[in-house]
């Protein structure tokens, strides 16, 4: 019984932080959408896109790589985020989408 | 005390304009701009990715007058390239100039065009200023910059820049200002020293 309790405690201890992102949100399984963006050359550009995507429900993580001009979106399972919507959010922010990979 | 020292420095330092007067929808931006002729502070609000409105106070040291203005800044055109970006901006304002007793209506407008990738930066900007009896001028400015290293998103970014100012009316001369731009997170600081004498200092905070 003690062993079971310790095992459960250990799982809880390690699993909960793994499910929490830097905003403190906890979430279920995620899938990643990789978007290649033209014109994203500086932190101000990256910050603007980060703000836009974090406002979208279901987007739990935004990872930006300026060298590769890539925005990786971590989206909760079940969230529908079509290519058209991603493209619109990015073009409305002033940038162009060159590819979207799921 | 530290704030008072910083505030005093900002008022005494001479100036130039900032890059990117528009941020993200719902974003606020505080800009302190100190160039060869004036000290300015602007607070603006971006209501679409292309437009921002705000208020600006500017003090012209030699002529000893102030202007309080409502500002309107716009991204007129952006060119996105795979590894670079270019922009055409409108920067404008209208308000009241006041100083030695009398107050006059005042307005200014200027275009800025810039191009940058992660290694190089170039910019040209002009400003037409009209304040009836107080001051009228047309100024031009150009900048080139190079990044000595390439940082990732969130790192401290450093740019070494050279700015050329041309004031057609007042001095009819060119002046050079070597400067450094430091940029991390939502904060941008530019500091330089004009070869004719005078410190350049700009500060931008987005929030």
């Amino acid at each position: 019984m003690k062993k079971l309790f310790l095992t459960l405690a250990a799982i809880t201890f390690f699993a909960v932080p793994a499910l929490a992102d830097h905003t403190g949100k906890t979430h279920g399984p995620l899938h990643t959408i990789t978007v290649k963006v033209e014109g994203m050359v500086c932190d101000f550009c990256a910050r603007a896109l980060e703000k836009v995507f974090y406002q979208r429900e279901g987007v739990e993580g935004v990872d930006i790589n300026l060298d590769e001009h890539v925005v990786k979106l971590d989206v909760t399972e079940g969230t529908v985020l079509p290519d058209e919507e991603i493209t619109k959010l990015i073009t409305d922010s002033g940038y162009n989408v060159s590819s979207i990979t799921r | 005390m530290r704030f008072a020292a910083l505030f005093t420095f900002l008022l005494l330092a001479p100036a130039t304009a900032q890059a990117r007067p528009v941020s993200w929808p719902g974003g606020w931006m505080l800009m302190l701009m100190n160039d060869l002729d004036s000290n300015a502070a602007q607070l603006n609000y971006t209501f679409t990715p292309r437009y921002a409105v705000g208020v600006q106070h500017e003090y012209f040291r030699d002529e000893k007058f102030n202007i309080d203005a409502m500002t309107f800044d716009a991204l007129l055109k952006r060119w996105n390239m795979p590894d670079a970006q270019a922009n055409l901006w409108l920067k404008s304002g209208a308000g009241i100039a006041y100083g030695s007793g009398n107050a006059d209506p005042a307005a200014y407008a200027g275009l800025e065009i810039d191009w940058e990738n992660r290694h190089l930066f170039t910019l040209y900007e002009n400003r037409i200023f009209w304040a009836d009896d107080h001051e009228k001028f047309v100024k031009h400015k150009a900048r080139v910059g190079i990044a000595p290293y390439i940082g990732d998103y969130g790192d401290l970014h450093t740019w070494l820049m050279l700015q050329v100012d041309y004031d057609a009316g007042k001095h009819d001369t060119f002046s050079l200002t070597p400067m450094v731009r430091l940029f991390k997170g939502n904060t941008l600081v530019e500091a330089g020293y004009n070869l004719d004498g005078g410190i350049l200092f700009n500060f931008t905070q987005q929030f």
Side-chain angles (χ1 to χ4, degrees):
Chain A
M1 188 64 184
K2 192 178 173 186
K3 217 178 249 183
L4 178 65
F5 175 76
L6 286 173
T7 307
L8 285 173
I11 289 169
T12 307
F13 180 79
F14 289 110
V16 168
L19 292 174
D21 63 15
H22 68 278
T23 61
K25 290 178 186 174
T26 55
H27 44 68
L30 301 173
H31 69 273
T32 301
I33 305 170
T34 302
V35 187
K36 194 139 191 181
V37 178
E38 284 187 352
M40 188 176 67
V41 293
C42 71
D43 275 30
F44 274 171
C45 312
R47 185 81 53 189
L49 291 174
E50 201 177 60
K51 292 266 180 192
V52 164
F53 280 108
Y54 270 126
Q55 286 171 4
R56 172 61 160 83
E57 197 177 334
V59 175
E60 295 290 341
V62 180
D63 181 38
I64 293 177
N65 185 319
L66 290 175
D67 277 337
E68 295 173 9
H69 317 293
V70 159
V71 178
K72 285 187 176 173
L73 304 170
D74 291 328
V75 180
T76 52
E77 286 292 344
T79 295
V80 178
L81 185 55
D83 290 0
E84 294 75 19
E85 185 178 346
I86 293 171
T87 302
K88 184 172 183 344
L89 288 171
I90 289 175
T91 51
D92 284 354
S93 300
Y95 306 93
N96 293 348
V97 172
S98 53
S99 69
I100 300 175
T101 311
R102 292 171 187 267
Chain B
M1 188 63 187
R2 201 177 288 172
F3 176 76
L6 176 63
F7 185 71
T8 305
F9 172 73
L10 292 176
L11 284 182
L12 292 176
T16 187
Q18 308 287 86
R20 298 184 183 270
V22 177
S23 61
W24 53 79
W28 290 86
M29 187 152 48
L30 173 67
M31 293 179 281
L32 304 174
M33 299 161 282
N34 303 277
D35 73 14
L36 293 170
D37 300 313
S38 70
N39 308 102
Q42 182 184 140
L43 178 68
N44 78 20
Y45 177 78
T46 297
F47 57 96
T48 78
R50 288 185 173 271
Y51 304 108
V53 292
V55 291
Q56 177 161 322
H57 175 80
E58 186 165 5
Y59 175 65
F60 290 83
R61 288 184 306 279
D62 287 350
E63 296 78 12
K64 294 184 172 48
F65 75 93
N66 302 275
I67 171 173
D68 288 331
M70 297 290 295
T71 64
F72 174 73
D73 299 319
L75 172 61
L76 299 178
K77 176 73 180 166
R78 171 167 288 164
W79 295 270
N80 289 311
M81 292 150 263
D83 297 312
Q85 181 191 101
N87 300 290
L88 177 64
W89 304 94
L90 167 71
K91 297 177 178 180
S92 64
I96 301 290
Y98 56 95
S100 51
N102 56 327
D104 294 313
Y108 59 86
L111 292 174
E112 174 189 312
I113 186 161
D114 61 53
W115 175 94
E116 69 178 297
N117 63 17
R118 303 205 65 213
H119 303 268
L120 299 169
F121 176 91
T122 59
L123 172 152
Y124 164 77
E125 179 181 350
N126 56 37
R127 188 186 192 197
I128 300 168
F129 185 97
W130 173 84
D132 207 9
D133 289 339
H134 283 93
E135 177 74 317
K136 300 176 186 73
F137 63 73
V138 179
K139 289 182 182 175
H140 305 267
K141 177 187 313 175
R143 265 193 208 187
V144 291
I146 185 166
Y149 63 91
I150 306 299
D152 289 333
Y153 175 43
D155 288 349
L156 173 68
H157 300 274
T158 303
W159 288 86
L160 303 176
M161 295 182 161
L162 181 66
Q163 178 170 307
V164 183
D165 289 277
Y166 177 61
D167 184 340
K170 190 173 166 186
H171 306 297
D172 197 21
T173 53
F174 291 93
S175 66
L176 289 174
T177 309
M179 55 189 286
V180 61
R181 169 188 281 187
L182 301 174
F183 179 19
K184 181 170 172 57
N186 294 339
T187 306
L188 182 148
V189 174
E190 294 174 338
Y193 186 76
N194 183 273
L195 298 184
D196 294 334
I199 296 166
L200 175 150
F201 187 86
N202 293 323
F203 171 84
T204 298
Q205 180 70 44
Q206 294 182 326
F207 46 95

